[in-house]
Amino acid sequence: MSTSTPVSSASSAAAVRPRPRSALGKTFQSLSTYNFRLFFIGQLISNTGNQLTNVALILFVLKLGHSGLAVGALAACQFGPLVALSAWAGAFADRSDKRRMLLVTQGLEMAQSVTLAVLAFLPHPSLALLYALAILGGVLLAFDNPLRRSFVPEMVSKDDLPNAVVLYSTIVALSQVSGPALAGALIATVGFGWCFALDAVTYLAVITCLVMMRERELYRQPPRARTGREVREGLRYVVSVPRLWISFAMFALIGVFTFNLRVALPLLVTGPLHGGDVAFTALYATLSCGAVIGTLVVAHRRLVELRHAVTGAFALGCAMLLLSFMPSVPAAVPVAFFLGAASMVYMTASTTIAQVGTRSDMHGRVLALQTALIGGAALVGGPIVGHLADLAGGRAPIAIGGVVCLAAAGLGELGRRRFSRADSAAS
């Protein structure tokens, strides 16, 4: 399979395609590209299944383990492999045929979901086996994530790339609405096993869309030869670009204490707010609805600079503090919506900085380092947040996360002002 881009087909297609003028067309402009449209559809379906499994697995472990620490340990199992493997997986992505390798990783993840379903249907499922499958999922995600994210620039023109990256974040937000809603309905009616079984079926959609892509229209980069120094080169590159290391440093703080909502939120709902599984999935879906609005605002307004990440972090900190004082699930609903919007403005700006503001030959490594940072935050923060909730109650992790987020926003703004000129020079 050729790895060079047939410029005459891909670039000419971009040249003749009229630029969108309406507000709606501007927001969704990258979906006019056939390959990215297929990718968007497949990933939206598959990510809905992923979110379905994520929520079901959290509640399943909470049911079997009966503690916040058990849920925190699950997060560590899921994200630990990201820390250990992501840097090397990013170097692998930079020298791979991303479409072919995605077919492999997606197929293996489908097999993992099938295994989870079989285990959940057993009368006495083993918590240790659930943790083992979570570790396997983390290994697969370590390779799949940089492949998927670095594949986006190969599907769209350079002009459409910022919009495509933001719309990719919209996929996650949309799936966080439908996934938890499905999880709540299935858990309440037919049980946990069918959640994992349905997730396995959704992988067929993304595999089909990958197969249907027009290979000649991909904007491929020539593969880099293996040097043995890829990881070090990636680290040096991040350190040399202020907007990258500032955004990474902000996430190191925010990720540990604020973005462990998958651990903190169910403990808040089932503890101080006196809700159950259905209340948690409803509140999670509300949060995700806010996230969808946040991504659409970012897509339309192009809020993809470091200053937008700082603003999003500040809003996220305020929302977290407000949520920690809510007396009931109904009262928390509007705050959760605001929290979802703020979190996605922050997260989308941060991830877009890593994709759009990065040299093409460094895409896989920079994105993998960001993935490792996300995994490291969950690995360290998940057990901390879970244990903190056990000791001080479900409100404590939410409140502390808000304070840390505000501190990170302040430090990020100081760094942005101090290194703005150096950042422009590095670009």
Side-chain angles (χ1 to χ4, degrees):
M1 185 181 295
S2 172
T3 54
S4 61
T5 302
V7 178
S8 58
S9 61
S11 60
S12 61
V16 299
R17 188 171 68 248
R19 309 309 299 170
R21 295 181 180 180
S22 68
L24 189 63
K26 181 181 177 182
T27 302
F28 298 100
Q29 67 183 56
S30 55
L31 290 180
S32 61
T33 302
Y34 172 79
N35 283 338
F36 183 71
R37 188 162 62 249
L38 280 176
F39 180 80
F40 185 92
I41 293 170
Q43 289 293 319
L44 179 58
I45 296 171
S46 179
N47 271 269
T48 297
N50 291 344
Q51 292 300 325
L52 168 66
T53 283
N54 286 340
V55 172
L57 191 55
I58 289 170
L59 295 175
F60 197 30
V61 167
L62 186 58
K63 177 183 177 182
L64 297 175
H66 306 291
S67 74
L69 188 58
V71 179
L74 173 67
C77 290
Q78 290 174 313
F79 293 101
L82 294 181
V83 179
L85 300 174
S86 282
W88 288 269
F92 175 76
D94 279 336
R95 59 175 186 268
S96 298
D97 182 324
K98 297 174 182 61
R99 179 167 162 267
R100 277 188 175 180
M101 292 311 304
L102 280 171
L103 288 169
V104 174
T105 57
Q106 294 290 298
L108 292 173
E109 286 179 300
M110 181 171 66
Q112 183 224 9
S113 293
V114 170
T115 309
L116 272 173
V118 171
L119 186 61
F121 283 125
L122 295 177
H124 301 289
S126 166
L127 189 59
L129 285 178
L130 286 176
Y131 286 150
L133 286 171
I135 292 172
L136 175 61
V139 172
L140 294 174
L141 184 61
F143 286 89
D144 185 76
N145 190 284
L147 284 167
R148 272 187 288 116
R149 294 176 65 194
S150 62
F151 189 40
V152 173
E154 295 189 1
M155 288 181 282
V156 298
S157 66
K158 188 175 181 179
D159 290 340
D160 284 348
L161 180 57
N163 180 259
V165 172
V166 173
L167 287 185
Y168 179 77
S169 297
T170 308
I171 293 172
V172 178
L174 286 169
S175 66
Q176 287 176 342
V177 177
S178 52
L182 278 173
L186 291 175
I187 291 169
T189 55
V190 293
F192 290 97
W194 288 105
C195 296
F196 306 132
L198 183 57
D199 179 28
V201 174
T202 64
Y203 282 101
L204 296 175
V206 68
I207 291 172
T208 300
C209 288
L210 286 169
V211 171
M212 290 175 61
M213 284 185 179
R214 298 169 184 164
E215 195 171 343
R216 66 184 182 278
E217 295 181 11
L218 294 174
Y219 296 79
R220 282 196 169 140
Q221 296 292 327
R224 289 178 55 86
R226 185 171 184 173
T227 65
R229 300 188 302 273
E230 292 93 346
V231 175
R232 281 174 290 172
E233 289 170 355
L235 287 169
R236 281 198 296 267
Y237 176 73
V238 168
V239 172
S240 71
V241 182
R243 66 177 173 275
L244 288 179
W245 68 255
I246 290 172
S247 66
F248 278 30
M250 286 178 62
F251 194 88
L253 290 173
I254 293 173
V256 170
F257 294 100
T258 308
F259 266 158
N260 271 294
L261 278 173
R262 60 186 298 143
V263 176
L265 192 59
L267 299 176
L268 174 70
V269 172
T270 59
L273 301 188
H274 308 292
D277 291 349
V278 174
F280 164 65
T281 55
L283 195 64
Y284 194 88
T286 301
L287 184 148
S288 301
C289 286
V292 173
I293 299 302
T295 55
L296 293 179
V297 169
V298 172
H300 180 67
R301 303 286 297 178
R302 291 178 177 262
L303 308 179
V304 294
E305 302 293 337
L306 183 58
R307 60 191 174 91
H308 301 132
V310 171
T311 302
F314 178 79
L316 178 58
C318 293
M320 291 283 285
L321 284 174
L322 190 59
L323 180 64
S324 70
F325 288 103
M326 291 298 101
S328 65
V329 172
V333 167
V335 181
F337 186 88
F338 173 55
L339 175 61
S343 67
M344 198 52 66
V345 169
Y346 166 70
M347 191 63 179
T348 303
S350 297
T351 55
T352 306
I353 288 167
Q355 284 184 271
V356 177
T358 301
R359 282 196 344 236
S360 60
D361 62 316
M362 288 287 178
H363 267 140
R365 277 165 285 182
V366 171
L367 295 176
L369 289 171
Q370 188 180 59
T371 301
L373 189 61
I374 293 171
L379 176 66
V380 175
I384 291 175
V385 167
H387 191 52
L388 183 61
D390 288 341
L391 292 176
R395 298 184 188 277
I398 305 290
I400 292 173
V403 172
V404 171
C405 205
L406 293 177
L411 293 173
E413 179 63 14
L414 288 175
R416 186 185 72 83
R417 293 184 180 186
R418 180 174 181 181
F419 295 102
S420 58
R421 292 183 180 179
D423 191 52
S424 300
S427 302

